[in-house]
Amino acid sequence: MGANDRTYKFALGTALLEAATDGRADIPLRELAVPYAMSLVHRIGQAPQARPGSVTGHTDYLAVAGEEAAESLRLGFPTEKLLAATMKSMPEMVMQKFHNLRGSGQVPHRFYEVTGTPNERIVRLTADLRTVAVSEQTASLRGELDARWSIVETSFAAGIGRSLVEEGVSVDLTTMRITDKRRRRPVTGVTEAMIGFQHGRCLICHEPVVPGRDAIAVDHVFPFSLMDRLSLMVDLDAVWNMAPAHTACNLAKSDRLPESHELSRLVRRNEAIMNSPHPLRRTLELALGPYARRGRWPGFVRHVWSQISR
Ligand SMILES: [Zn+2]
C-alpha cells in the first residue's frame, strides 16, 4: 500500500518470494538481483514501469533495463551491464523503501535485513517472510502481486493513466476481469486484484481461498437479481459489491440477501481498498458518491440495505 512511482517493489516482492520459497535464509544480493532484473525485463517491453516522463538519461536504471531487455531475455539471464546496474540500484532505492507505507508509516513486519559489506551484500530473509512463502496463501499472494503490478503499470500508460485516475475501472462480467474504461482492455482478474484486501479469505465462509486448490467464483454480495426487482439508484454490478468466494459457497448462497457478518466483511474489505493507491480506490470513491464524505462504507451499505428492505 505504499506510493508507487515505479514498479520496483513488485520486482523485489517477486524475487523475495522466489528465494524464500526455495528455502533460502541468506542470499547474496548478486543472486537476488537475477530474478529481480528478469521480472522487470519480462514486462518492460509490454508496459511502462514508471510514471510518464520520469525516466531521465541513460544512467536511469529503467533506461538500462530497457536497453538490455532483449539480450537478457534471449540469454534467460541479465546481461553483465544489467546485473551491475541492478546491484547498484536495489540497495540505493527499493530495498530502503520496501517496508514503507504511503505517508510516513511502515509495515509491522520486516521481510529482510541487508548485511555484509558494500562489496558483498547479503540479504537475510526473515522468519516472517519464510512463513509467508510456505503458507497455503502463497499462490494467492503471487497472483495478487502480479495483479497489482498490472494495475500500477496500466496507470502509468500514456492516455490511460489519467482516465483511470479520474474514472476508475470497470468489470467485464463475462470474463470477470478488471478493464480500463478508455481502451476496454483487460488489466487483471477481479479475484487476483481483490483477494488480498479480504486477507485471502472467502467473503461468505471466511476460510482461505487457495488458487489452484479451490474453485473460485466472484460473488455479488447484494445479489444482482435485486437490480431487476427494484429500481436501485446504486450499481450492484460494480467492484464495491463483488467479492471472491469459493464456488461452492457462492452457489449455496444463490440469490439470498447478505447476512450482517458478510456486510461487515464487505465494509472492511472496501475500506482496505480505499487505503490502497489508484485506481481501485478511485473506483470505490465514485461508487460511494455523496457517502464519500458522510458515513462512508457503513453508511453506504446501510443505505443500500434500506432501499432493498423497503
Ligand atoms: Zn467459502
Side-chain angles (χ1 to χ4, degrees):
M1 294 187 182
N4 294 122
D5 291 317
R6 294 181 169 222
T7 58
Y8 295 163
K9 282 181 180 173
F10 303 110
L12 181 57
T14 303
L16 288 170
L17 259 188
E18 188 176 314
T21 308
D22 287 345
R24 303 293 297 265
D26 290 332
I27 182 166
L29 181 63
R30 172 174 286 278
E31 273 184 60
L32 192 66
V34 173
Y36 178 93
M38 291 309 289
S39 67
L40 271 168
V41 296
H42 272 290
R43 285 178 171 262
I44 208 162
Q46 324 290 324
Q49 302 298 315
R51 288 193 191 289
S54 69
V55 179
T56 49
H58 287 292
T59 55
D60 189 303
Y61 176 67
L62 284 179
V64 177
E67 282 164 16
E68 300 296 308
E71 180 64 3
S72 300
L73 288 171
R74 194 184 67 75
L75 295 168
F77 199 85
T79 61
E80 267 311 307
K81 186 177 174 190
L82 177 58
L83 190 60
T86 307
M87 289 172 62
K88 183 173 186 302
S89 165
M90 284 175 79
E92 284 175 2
M93 298 267 293
V94 67
M95 298 204 76
Q96 296 189 19
K97 296 182 177 172
F98 190 75
H99 297 103
N100 291 357
L101 292 172
R102 207 149 45 91
S104 56
Q106 290 214 323
V107 292
H109 300 88
R110 310 296 290 180
F111 297 111
Y112 58 83
E113 303 290 343
V114 181
T115 63
T117 64
N119 289 330
E120 188 64 63
R121 284 198 172 93
I122 305 291
V123 182
R124 179 154 292 164
L125 309 184
T126 63
D128 282 330
L129 175 62
R130 283 177 283 145
T131 303
V132 167
V134 299
S135 76
E136 64 181 349
Q137 299 213 8
T138 304
S140 202
L141 189 57
R142 283 176 195 279
E144 189 189 350
L145 188 55
D146 197 57
R148 299 263 193 110
W149 195 337
S150 298
I151 289 172
V152 167
E153 65 190 11
T154 304
S155 77
F156 293 154
I160 303 303
R162 178 157 293 280
S163 99
L164 285 179
V165 167
E166 286 169 4
E167 303 159 31
V169 296
S170 57
V171 173
D172 181 322
L173 295 165
T174 41
T175 58
M176 276 300 163
R177 293 183 72 78
I178 284 175
T179 59
D180 71 70
K181 291 186 174 178
R182 186 66 50 95
R183 297 177 299 186
R184 296 241 149 242
R185 261 194 235 159
V187 176
T188 186
V190 169
T191 296
E192 294 85 345
M194 315 238 292
I195 193 79
F197 294 111
Q198 43 191 76
H199 302 281
R201 289 170 184 271
C202 171
L203 201 91
I204 300 168
C205 73
H206 211 48
E207 291 297 316
V209 169
V210 181
R213 186 194 72 184
D214 303 329
I216 305 173
V218 176
D219 181 47
H220 282 76
V221 179
F222 285 99
F224 181 66
S225 58
L226 292 170
M227 292 279 282
D228 297 332
R229 229 170 62 204
L230 307 155
S231 52
L232 281 183
M233 297 304 286
V234 289
D235 185 7
L236 297 180
D237 235 352
V239 168
W240 75 268
N241 187 45
M242 291 182 170
H246 297 111
T247 300
C249 294
N250 181 237
L251 285 172
K253 180 176 172 247
S254 187
D255 273 353
R256 77 159 162 77
L257 291 177
E259 292 174 2
S260 65
H261 60 270
E262 290 161 358
L263 289 180
S264 326
R265 285 174 200 150
L266 180 68
V267 162
R268 284 200 302 273
R269 195 282 309 268
N270 285 350
E271 284 171 345
I273 293 178
M274 299 284 279
N275 282 323
S276 77
H278 295 310
L280 282 184
R281 179 181 65 185
R282 179 61 183 156
T283 307
L284 291 199
E285 265 173 15
L286 291 171
L288 276 175
Y291 286 87
R293 271 182 294 282
R294 47 188 169 89
R296 312 258 291 183
W297 287 104
F300 180 78
V301 164
R302 270 198 305 276
H303 162 73
V304 177
W305 186 262
S306 72
Q307 298 236 329
I308 61 174
S309 53
R310 256 207 301 241

